[in-house]
Amino acid sequence: MIKTTAHALAAAALALLPLATAVPAHAAETLSLHDAIEALPHAAESRDGYERSKFKHRIDEDKDGCNTRAEVLLAEALTPPAVGPGCRLTGGTWFSYYDDTIIDGPSGLDIDHMVPLAEAWDSGASQWTAARRQAYANDLGAERSLVAVTARSNRQKADQDPAEWTPPAADAQCTYLSDWVGTKLRWSLTVDRTERDTLRQLAAGCEDTDVEYERV
């Protein structure tokens, strides 16, 4: 009986090993939006050499048949969609907080990289390995790194930073600033002077907004 129990405990410990290796190296942090902006590293931006193909995205990391787009849609659905063969999603409803819009069905949605791939490149990702760029482009480990929004709002935003674009919905701005700054801190991305100054100005109306992030 003792030997059987020991074997069972050993098996249980082995089963937990993958979970242990998945724990991020850095603890979660919470800062006020003001302090989070001041914590962002400052550097000039450069888009030299950028190609979207250098960020491999829409992968199926856990091999369950659903790629990154589908995983985000499933996670953010207000009403869950039906999941068919090949992870084809039908039905369901979503809330696009950029423009305060309810969307029926997945076809009208884009998955937005909170900090666009081109902006990430400008802000430090040009120096990353291909593996880290892939991890960034498919970041399901933070709730707001990727967000389902209307295709219209995503395409209006394109690769612009908050100095050039913020969501049109009046109630979205503070959430958006928190998500943007949190994503940059999570991935140790920089801001240039114009972006930093704009973030400071916009954050003046978000006194009770915090930024939660976990570095990777």
Side-chain angles (χ1 to χ4, degrees), residues 32-186:
S32 69
L33 179 57
H34 173 271
D35 288 345
I37 292 169
E38 298 309 312
L40 289 166
H42 176 254
E45 294 186 355
S46 173
R47 195 156 297 183
D48 291 349
Y50 170 72
E51 295 176 10
R52 187 174 176 83
S53 61
K54 292 182 177 179
F55 293 80
K56 185 177 181 181
H57 54 291
R58 290 199 180 185
I59 65 170
D60 179 8
E61 185 174 11
D62 59 6
K63 310 301 181 187
D64 66 350
C66 295
N67 65 17
T68 302
R69 171 183 166 80
E71 298 282 11
V72 175
L73 290 174
L74 289 168
E76 296 190 4
L78 298 178
T79 304
V83 183
C87 200
R88 181 173 181 271
L89 306 182
T90 54
T93 58
W94 287 264
F95 175 66
S96 170
Y97 90 83
Y98 287 4
D99 44 7
D100 193 22
T101 301
I102 297 292
I103 299 295
D104 294 319
S107 62
L109 293 159
D110 281 353
I111 305 303
D112 182 39
H113 290 91
M114 175 53 56
V115 176
L117 301 181
E119 170 68 20
W121 178 272
D122 299 350
S123 306
S126 60
Q127 304 302 310
W128 293 352
T129 64
R132 185 166 174 83
R133 286 196 291 268
Q134 176 176 302
Y136 177 83
N138 299 277
D139 183 13
L140 298 174
E143 186 175 337
R144 307 315 295 181
S145 290
L146 300 168
V147 58
V149 295
T150 59
R152 177 184 63 254
S153 64
N154 183 50
R155 292 164 197 181
Q156 288 173 347
K157 173 183 173 179
D159 58 8
Q160 300 176 95
D161 71 23
E164 303 159 310
W165 187 91
T166 54
D171 294 336
Q173 180 164 285
C174 294
T175 299
Y176 185 76
L177 295 177
S178 175
D179 293 346
W180 180 277
V181 173
T183 301
K184 284 219 159 180
L185 286 172
R186 174 172 170 79

Side-chain angles (χ1 to χ4, degrees), residues 23-34:
V23 174
H26 301 277
E29 298 184 50
T30 301
L31 297 173
S32 69
L33 179 57
H34 173 271

